Amino acid sequence: MQAAVIALLALILVALVVLIVVLVRRSKERPPQEPARPADPFASVGEVAGDPRSLKAGDLVEYLGTRYFVRGSVRFREGGYTWSEHLLDADTAEGAKVWISVEEDPDLEVVWWTERDVGDLKPDRPTLTLDGVEYRREEHGTAEYRTEGTTGLGTGGRVEYADYEGPGGRYLSFERFDGGAWEAGTGERVPTGTMTIYPGS
């Protein structure tokens, strides 16, 4: 009986040794795992990089060969509907502010805006003509807003807006923050693949 127990223990010991040898050999056959390389935020990433819906102050936007830092953001809410506008660090040749708006209505729409002096033009008619382009009013309402980073506005309040649409993906927009004067801008839809976003730190 004792000899049988010894034989069984020896057999178990041999099986354990074989199992250990097999496991050691398999671990040696696996190639060593390379440490993750840090991502280059300026590397070529294909047609589009980044999600416009997540834009924030400190991010970098490349559009038509020029890079802009996002200086600040304005977040709007009207009922359950939300959208954002982002102030960029570069000015146009005329010295006007440049913005990007991002909204889903229901599809994602990104528009490049340039601040405009429109003289006495106000959003008081269903159609307006500016620079020979006729725009038709699409929306008019009020929303709550809050700001992040540098925008030239307070931390939050209410805005009245009127949005007009023209031919060929062109827009004319009016905004009046906290009962102030109307501010106007003209915009063009950003075509897919022409803008790249590099998240800030």
Side-chain angles (χ1 to χ4, degrees):
M1 181 72 177
Q2 189 175 6
V5 170
I6 291 172
L8 182 60
L9 289 174
L11 185 60
I12 291 172
L13 183 61
V14 168
L16 282 173
V17 168
V18 169
L19 181 61
I20 290 170
V21 168
V22 168
L23 290 175
V24 167
R25 282 186 180 167
R26 280 189 184 170
S27 67
K28 286 182 179 178
E29 290 173 1
R30 289 184 194 151
Q33 294 286 337
E34 289 186 22
R37 296 180 182 175
D40 178 0
F42 298 104
S44 175
V45 289
E47 185 181 1
V48 177
D51 183 354
R53 292 167 292 198
S54 64
L55 271 172
K56 63 188 183 309
D59 289 350
L60 183 71
V61 173
E62 184 174 338
Y63 181 57
L64 300 179
T66 303
R67 289 180 175 168
Y68 306 83
F69 277 103
V70 177
R71 296 191 63 195
S73 302
V74 185
R75 312 288 182 182
F76 298 91
R77 177 177 294 277
E78 184 178 10
Y81 182 64
T82 62
W83 70 99
S84 300
E85 294 177 0
H86 308 279
L87 175 63
L88 304 183
D89 72 335
D91 291 343
T92 63
E94 299 84 22
K97 292 179 181 175
V98 178
W99 294 78
I100 296 173
S101 67
V102 180
E103 62 179 304
E104 290 182 280
D105 188 23
D107 297 324
L108 180 63
E109 183 176 87
V110 181
V111 178
W112 186 269
W113 294 96
T114 303
E115 185 181 57
R116 288 289 306 272
D117 180 1
V118 294
D120 295 332
L121 198 62
K122 290 182 175 54
D124 54 3
R125 297 191 302 275
T127 60
L128 295 174
T129 301
L130 178 66
D131 298 336
V133 178
E134 185 177 83
Y135 296 88
R136 183 173 302 278
R137 187 167 56 211
E138 295 292 322
E139 293 179 294
H140 180 211
T142 58
E144 297 177 356
Y145 74 90
R146 61 181 174 81
T147 61
E148 305 162 6
T150 301
T151 62
L153 299 169
T155 57
R158 292 191 64 78
V159 62
E160 181 181 4
Y161 66 90
D163 293 334
Y164 289 74
E165 187 170 346
R170 288 185 282 190
Y171 302 91
L172 172 64
S173 180
F174 294 83
E175 293 174 328
R176 179 160 59 182
F177 291 90
D178 303 309
W182 284 109
E183 300 174 19
T186 52
E188 292 186 359
R189 186 173 298 161
V190 174
T192 302
T194 59
M195 187 171 75
T196 305
I197 299 165
Y198 304 98
S201 55

